[in-house]
Amino acid sequence: MLSELHIENFAIINRLDLDFNPGLNIFTGETGAGKSIIIDAVEAILGSRADVTMVRAGAEKALVEASFEISANAGHAIHQILEREGLLEGDATLTLGREIRNNGRSVARVNGRSVSVHLLGELGEYLVDVHGQSEHLSLLHVRQHLGLLDSYARVEKELEDYQETYHHLVQLRKQLTELRQSEADAARQIDILKYQIDEIETAHLKISEEEELRTERTRLANAEGIASTAREALQILDEGSPESPGVSDLIGQVTSLLGNLSRLDSSQEKMATRAQNTLEELSDLSAELHDYLETVEFNPQRLDQVEERLNLIQNMKRKYGPDIASVINFAVNAKKQLNSIEHVSEAIIEKEKEESILLGKLGQLGESLSIKRHTAASELEHAVEAELMDLSMAGARFKVDFSERQASDGVQLSDGRRVAFDSTGLEHVEFLVAPNPGEGLKPLVKIASGGETSRLMLAIKNVLAHADKVPSLIFDEIDQGIGGRVGSVVGKKLWELARQHQVLCVTHLAQLAAFGDQHLRVLKQIKEGRTETQVEVVLGEDRLVELAQMMGEVSQGTRQSAIELLQLVSQATSQTTE
């Protein structure tokens, strides 16, 4: 609901602050006072085209700001948009702003943050419908007609069942597309996978072998040096040289001497024992060196084999993973993938059977949904035409147009036809009208503007009141071409509509204005040599005078007529309430 509107330097408005109530808000005033300018300001805040002619002469910029209380009906869609744009600050209120500068630039704001004008328009579709010469009329957006019909038809359960099956089918068809693509690539993929698996398995890789091979390669590459060093160490240990006996012989002599010493001095037995242990350790070391020398050989052929194996491992790692474990795991996964591809034809057959079942189910649900839509559409057509008759448009016609599109991959109907489908159902829906007798039915977007259009929209809105989720409605020039009797009918219908929506209406008819829950008088005043628009809420005696003036010169007769008019309105609204 539009709760507050602030306007500065907009056309002949210097500064204006308006507070709006729920229900029916009526604007009255002389021609040229600025009523339509206020509507223009609201449209600017909804993303309408704005130019420098809207900036008050002598001002640098015009400013319009509006605060909205978010209704439960429109709240979800608005919150989705704000969350998408990172602008969500609270659940209850929303502030829109538009700044129009005299250099041609325009700045849009949502909750105080700069945004594109397009975003204002996107949000505006869920906030306000302006009925008159406006592009902000939601009924002019064909994509919303089906939603309005469904809400009128109360097919929420049927639509939910249909959409659940539809989304299941969409996912299934996505899987089928992937499987068929896999099948098309299968021959190439199978050859590649088989080659990879065979290459890895033929290598007979072991997780720990790379480190062992590197160690062996080092030993083979340095075999001569290793053998020479070991032999030299063994010679020093066992053989010695002409100049000096071997270390083992020398230690043997030391051990013998210390043995004699311990027999002479028992306190040195430990020293003798240590010498004996050292001799035994040297003997073991010598034996190990002998054994080691027997294993050391210069084998160029084995070295080549080790190098070849290490090169193979490196090649496997380059292709399939950073280490041997990864290479082995690659082969495991390749086998799984190969198994999946080799069975893709079977999977496609199963999925196609499931697709056929889902298409059949979707066709049944879609036809059931269509039947209820057609039934509701007929009721809607009669209801709107009855409303139009009350509004002195007896010859006007309203029709809900259904259209289908043949499609070979669509759902099959009970009569054998195959039709296209989407998430909303099996048909396209558009509202058509013929405002005058003899005229052909035309889309709503192509009907003439002015009061006739406003009355037509009022009729549709009244019938769709429970289905329409736009919380605030503005009617401009709705009384154009109608008299006082019809004005009372229009007024009552606006009042009834305002029980479920906030309604703002500009009118010159007292019979219509008398139904207002809030009556705002628009005045044009001269201040310091400049024209300014002012707005005041009229109550009590002031309202009585305003209504009398709308019927002619203020006199005892027009005052009495205004009193009687308010009494009639009170009776009409109280009966409706009861």
Side-chain angles (χ1 to χ4, degrees):
M1 182 190 84
L2 175 60
S3 56
E4 297 176 5
L5 181 65
H6 172 74
I7 308 172
E8 283 185 35
N9 297 321
F10 191 93
I12 62 172
I13 297 174
N14 180 33
R15 183 184 178 92
L16 202 57
D17 289 290
L18 299 175
D19 295 324
F20 296 105
N21 295 334
L24 179 57
N25 296 263
I26 293 291
F27 287 93
T28 62
E30 296 181 359
T31 300
K35 301 183 296 297
S36 293
I37 292 174
I38 296 172
I39 306 303
D40 290 341
V42 173
E43 290 193 276
I45 210 73
L46 300 175
S48 254
R49 187 182 64 84
D51 55 49
V52 295
T53 60
M54 294 178 174
V55 181
R56 184 172 169 82
E60 292 184 0
K61 62 184 179 181
L63 177 65
V64 185
E65 293 179 334
S67 294
F68 295 87
E69 295 177 9
I70 307 302
S71 66
N73 281 341
H76 179 66
I78 290 173
H79 288 162
Q80 280 188 320
I81 295 172
L82 294 177
E83 188 171 12
R84 181 194 74 202
E85 300 293 331
L87 297 168
L88 189 60
E89 294 184 353
D91 295 334
T93 61
L94 175 68
T95 302
L96 304 185
R98 185 81 179 273
E99 189 178 286
I100 308 156
R101 298 176 181 173
N102 60 12
N103 62 4
R105 289 190 59 201
S106 175
V107 179
R109 292 188 176 88
V110 172
N111 290 335
R113 294 165 62 181
S114 294
V115 299
S116 67
V117 174
H118 173 76
L119 183 61
L120 287 186
E122 188 178 358
L123 289 167
E125 290 185 11
Y126 298 97
L127 295 169
V128 182
D129 264 352
V130 182
H131 300 261
Q133 299 182 19
S134 170
E135 61 190 41
H136 291 290
L137 179 58
S138 63
L139 281 169
L140 299 184
H141 300 301
V142 177
R143 65 181 182 274
Q144 296 197 21
H145 293 181
L146 183 58
L148 290 169
L149 175 63
D150 283 346
S151 294
Y152 180 80
R154 301 186 186 278
V155 291
E156 292 84 359
K157 180 62 171 63
E158 290 82 357
L159 185 59
E160 182 182 347
D161 291 342
Y162 172 89
Q163 289 180 335
E164 182 180 348
T165 303
Y166 169 82
H167 290 304
H168 190 180
L169 179 61
V170 168
Q171 289 299 315
L172 179 66
R173 284 188 162 180
K174 182 180 178 182
Q175 294 169 10
L176 264 172
T177 299
E178 293 172 353
L179 285 170
R180 285 168 180 151
Q181 184 63 45
S182 297
E183 187 179 40
D185 297 337
R188 180 175 58 84
Q189 285 291 325
I190 287 173
D191 287 344
I192 292 173
L193 289 170
K194 283 184 175 179
Y195 172 81
Q196 292 171 334
I197 294 168
D198 182 64
E199 184 177 34
I200 294 171
E201 289 186 341
T202 302
H204 300 293
L205 298 173
K206 298 177 182 178
I207 291 178
S208 61
E209 71 171 311
E210 185 176 14
E211 186 60 35
E212 294 173 356
L213 286 168
R214 290 184 184 281
T215 301
E216 185 180 1
R217 181 180 64 179
T218 300
R219 189 169 66 247
L220 287 168
N222 297 281
E224 289 186 2
I226 291 171
S228 175
T229 302
R231 278 195 295 270
E232 185 178 352
L234 192 61
Q235 184 177 7
I236 293 171
L237 275 173
D238 289 345
E239 300 174 12
S241 65
E243 295 82 16
S244 173
V247 171
S248 296
D249 290 340
L250 293 173
I251 293 300
Q253 294 175 23
V254 171
T255 301
S256 177
L257 291 170
L258 290 177
N260 293 334
L261 178 63
S262 67
R263 283 192 292 274
L264 297 173
D265 183 356
S266 60
S267 65
Q268 298 306 311
E269 286 183 5
K270 288 184 179 180
M271 190 182 297
T273 301
R274 286 169 60 192
Q276 182 62 40
N277 290 340
T278 300
L279 181 61
E280 291 174 358
E281 185 69 25
L282 284 174
S283 179
D284 291 342
L285 180 59
S286 178
E288 288 180 19
L289 270 173
H290 273 292
D291 293 340
Y292 176 68
L293 268 171
E294 290 179 2
T295 66
V296 175
E297 62 176 335
F298 179 66
N299 189 341
Q301 184 178 0
R302 175 56 184 166
L303 179 60
D304 289 342
Q305 291 173 349
V306 171
E307 290 283 6
E308 185 178 345
R309 182 67 176 172
L310 285 170
N311 287 336
L312 173 65
I313 292 172
Q314 190 61 32
N315 188 43
M316 295 290 102
K317 287 163 59 179
R318 180 177 58 80
K319 289 182 178 180
Y320 306 117
D323 50 45
I324 290 178
S326 299
V327 174
I328 294 172
N329 191 54
F330 184 96
V332 172
N333 291 331
K335 285 182 179 178
K336 292 179 181 177
Q337 189 177 354
L338 179 62
N339 183 64
S340 175
I341 291 175
E342 289 177 336
H343 291 83
V344 70
S345 297
E346 299 172 11
I348 288 175
I349 293 171
E350 289 301 315
K351 293 293 183 184
E352 285 176 341
K353 289 179 182 177
E354 191 177 349
E355 180 189 29
S356 179
I357 294 171
L358 283 175
L359 277 171
K361 181 180 179 181
L362 194 69
Q364 293 174 355
L365 292 171
E367 278 197 285
S368 176
L369 182 60
S370 295
I371 290 170
K372 292 200 172 186
R373 283 172 171 170
H374 278 272
T375 301
S378 179
E379 296 173 1
L380 178 61
E381 290 166 356
H382 287 101
V384 171
E385 289 178 357
E387 290 279 330
L388 291 172
M389 186 175 293
D390 290 344
L391 296 170
S392 293
M393 294 179 69
R397 293 175 59 211
F398 176 81
K399 182 173 180 58
V400 180
D401 181 65
F402 290 84
S403 60
E404 297 173 343
R405 182 172 61 82
Q406 301 294 316
S408 59
D409 62 344
V411 297
Q412 186 170 5
L413 305 183
S414 54
D415 60 7
R417 292 181 300 118
R418 283 195 174 274
V419 299
F421 60 92
D422 59 22
S423 62
T424 63
L426 311 182
E427 58 267 311
H428 174 80
V429 167
E430 183 173 7
F431 294 163
L432 306 178
V433 294
N436 301 300
E439 294 183 4
L441 289 161
K442 299 177 183 177
L444 280 177
V445 71
K446 294 184 178 179
I447 61 175
S449 60
E452 189 177 70
T453 301
S454 292
R455 277 182 282 157
L456 177 60
M457 295 306 169
L458 173 59
I460 298 173
K461 287 283 185 180
N462 236 5
V463 175
L464 294 173
H466 78 273
D468 191 354
K469 293 180 172 55
V470 179
S472 298
L473 312 175
I474 297 177
F475 290 88
D476 192 13
E477 301 181 358
I478 196 170
D479 53 12
Q480 192 177 72
I482 63 174
R485 186 185 67 80
V486 178
S488 293
V489 174
V490 172
K492 184 177 181 183
K493 289 187 179 297
L494 283 171
W495 183 87
E496 290 171 348
L497 183 60
R499 299 315 96 191
Q500 299 187 61
H501 299 265
Q502 180 193 47
V503 178
L504 280 65
C505 180
V506 175
T507 183
H508 294 279
L509 279 178
Q511 290 84 352
L512 194 159
F515 280 88
D517 297 299
Q518 177 174 253
H519 191 148
L520 300 108
R521 177 167 57 194
V522 182
L523 307 168
K524 184 168 62 176
Q525 299 178 341
I526 306 297
K527 285 188 178 181
E528 299 178 0
R530 299 197 65 182
T531 302
E532 287 188 9
T533 293
Q534 298 292 325
V535 178
E536 58 187 21
V537 178
V538 289
L539 301 166
E541 180 65 21
D542 288 339
R543 188 183 186 201
L544 195 65
V545 171
E546 177 69 9
L547 291 173
Q549 194 168 28
M550 293 175 74
M551 290 186 285
E553 291 290 335
V554 178
S555 64
Q556 186 62 36
T558 55
R559 283 176 56 85
Q560 184 59 37
S561 295
I563 292 171
E564 292 173 358
L565 182 58
L566 289 173
Q567 290 173 344
L568 289 172
V569 168
S570 177
Q571 292 174 4
T573 54
S574 62
Q575 290 172 359
T576 302
T577 304
E578 292 171 3

